[in-house]
Amino acid sequence: MSSDSLASETTAPTLPAGNEAPAKIIPISDAHRHVGERVEFQGWLYNLRKSGKIVFPIIRDGSGMMQCVAVKSNLPEDVFEMLKGLTQESSFTVTGTIRAESRAHGGYELDVTDAKLIQRVSEESPYPITPKEHGVDFLMDHRHLWLRSRRQHAAIRVRHQVIKSIRDYLDSNGFTLVDTPIFTPAACEGTTTLFEVDYFGDEKVYLTQSGQLYNEANAMAFGKVYCFGPTFRAEKSKTRRHLTEFWMVEPEMAYADLEEVKRVAEALVVYIVGRVLEQHEEDLKVLERDPSKLENIKAPFPRMSYDDAVKILQSKGSEIRWGGDFGNADETLLTQDFDRPVIVDRYPTQIKGFYFQPDEQRPELALGVDVIAPEAYGEIIGGGQRIHDLALLDKRLQEHHLPREAFEWYRDLRRFGTVPHAGFGMGVERFVAWMCGLEHVRETIPYPRMLYRTRP
RNA sequence: UCCUCAGUAGCUCAACGGUAGAGCAUUCGGCUGUUAACCGAAGGGUUGUAGGUUCGAAUCCUACCUGAGGAGCCA
C-alpha cells in the first residue's frame, strides 16, 4: 500500500459509533488534567514500537510526549495500518482516552480510538535525525530539525525562562525597557571587532556590540533602563563559549555606583536561577543537569578585588601578572573553590574601556566588575560605574585616540545634568549554558552564528 | 590569525599496505505491553578533493577543501 493511498483513505476518519461529541484538542502537557477523558492530540511521530497486533506510537506536540496504545482489534483496519506504517516525524492527529499508566514515560498513556494522517514522511528521504548518536557537524547542518529533539527542546525552553525571568525581574524593579539601535555609526572601542554593513553605499555603519552608550542617554531620561537584544562581535574566536551573534541584556541606572551594580547583578542572577529550578525540573532532568549545583546559587556571592584575585591566582600557579586580564584557565581557577559565582571588581584602567570611572583612592583602577560563573562557565556579567565628568571623559577619549566629534551626543550627557551612573551587561547564552550544564553555547540559541557557521 | 585533531553507506563507527564491514535508519516478513523494543531478510560505497610512493593505497607522503577542540579576545 502506497503512502498516497494511506493518506487519501484516512482524510475522513470514521467517528466512533453513537452520538459522542468531538474530542477536545489539548496539548500533551495538560494530559494529567484530563485523565479518563476523550481527547485529541495534534503532533508528530517521535518513535514507534510495534508488536504484531499492538503498536505504541509516541507522539510529540511541542508541549510534551505521550505514548499511545493502538490495538488492532479495537480500531478500524485502515487506522491501525496507518499507525503501524508511520515513519519518524510523520504528522498525524490521534484521538483516545487518557489513562494513568506506570509503564509509560510520564505516567500517562492514550488508548487510541481514532487517528488521522496529515503527512507521512516518505521512505525515499526519511527523517535524518535518528534516535541514535550523531556528530556535531551533522546536527548543526540540521539545526532546523535538531530543535525537535528532546535535549535541544529542553535547552531552548530553559532559554525562554531565563529571558522571561530577566524581564520579569527588571520590570518589577523599576526598570523600563528602552531599546538601543542595532546599526551604529561608530565603534564603541575600536572597529576591529565589529561587523561592517554597507549603508546605501555612502556611509559605513556597524552592527552593535553593546547598547551601553545609548543606555547611558536613556538612563538620564528614564532613571533605570535596560536594553535587550542581539549583539554582534566579529572576533575570529572559536571556542565553546563564543558566538558571533548573541543576546545580551544591559541594565543601566542613573544615580548608581559600583556597589549598586554588584547588588543588582547578584539579585538578578539569584532570581533567574530560582525560577529555572522552580519551573524547569523536567527539562533539567532531560539535560541531565544536577540541580544541586544550582540550588546553592544564593546571595551573597563571594566578592574580591582584582588585586586579591591576582594574588589568589598566583598562589594557585597561574602565570598572570598584575595588569593582565584573566584567561579562561584563570577564571576556572578563581571559581573552583566556590559553589556560586564570584564577583571581582576594580580592574586596572588599561584593560578596561575608556568610559569607566576611576577609583577615587587609586586612579590606576577602574570601577569595573565582572561576575564569573562557577563550573568553568566563565564571565557571565561585565559592567561598572561610568565616567560622569566631562573633562575626564575628554581626557580618556584622547588617550584612546577616539574622535571627539563622533562622541558629541555622548558628551552632552555630561553637559546637561550629569550624575554618577552605572550598569552592566549579561550574556544570555552563557547563562543558559550554565543553567543547562551544556558543554557549548551553540545549543542555547535556536540558530547559532559562529565563525564557520551561518547556516541554516 | 596560530596550534592540535578528524573526514569511509543517509547517520555513528570498524577495517591501519593485500577481496570495504557492523549497528541504527529505510523496505519486506514475524510477534497483543513495547521502553534507543526484539527476531529474520533485502537494498544501500568514485573511502573529502587533487597529485605522489608502491606490484597493490581507505591505510604511507604532499597540497588543498570542510569541520571540530583549544589559544589570543570576549558576554
Side-chain angles (χ1 to χ4, degrees), chain A residues 16 20-21 23-24 26 31-41 66-70 74-75 94-101 107-115:
Chain A
E20 265 184 293
K24 193 178 178 195
I26 64 162
H32 62 281
R33 292 207 291 263
H34 297 270
V35 177
E37 293 173 31
R38 226 179 115 253
V39 299
E40 176 180 337
F41 295 134
M66 174 70 62
Q67 173 162 286
C68 306
V69 186
N74 298 346
L75 284 170
V94 65
T95 307
T97 309
I98 297 172
R99 173 171 45 77
E101 170 58 69
Y108 300 94
E109 228 172 43
L110 186 82
D111 286 321
V112 178
T113 54
D114 195 12

Side-chain angles (χ1 to χ4, degrees), chain A residues 290-306:
Chain A
D290 178 2
S292 72
K293 300 270 189 201
L294 300 178
E295 281 155 9
N296 304 320
I297 312 301
K298 293 189 177 127
F301 297 165
R303 287 159 158 79
M304 64 179 78
S305 66
Y306 171 86

Side-chain angles (χ1 to χ4, degrees), chain A residues 301-304 334-335 338 340-344 370-374:
Chain A
F301 297 165
R303 287 159 158 79
M304 64 179 78
L334 211 51
T335 53
F338 301 102
R340 58 197 77 188
V342 175
I343 299 177
V344 183
D370 285 352
V371 178
I372 305 167

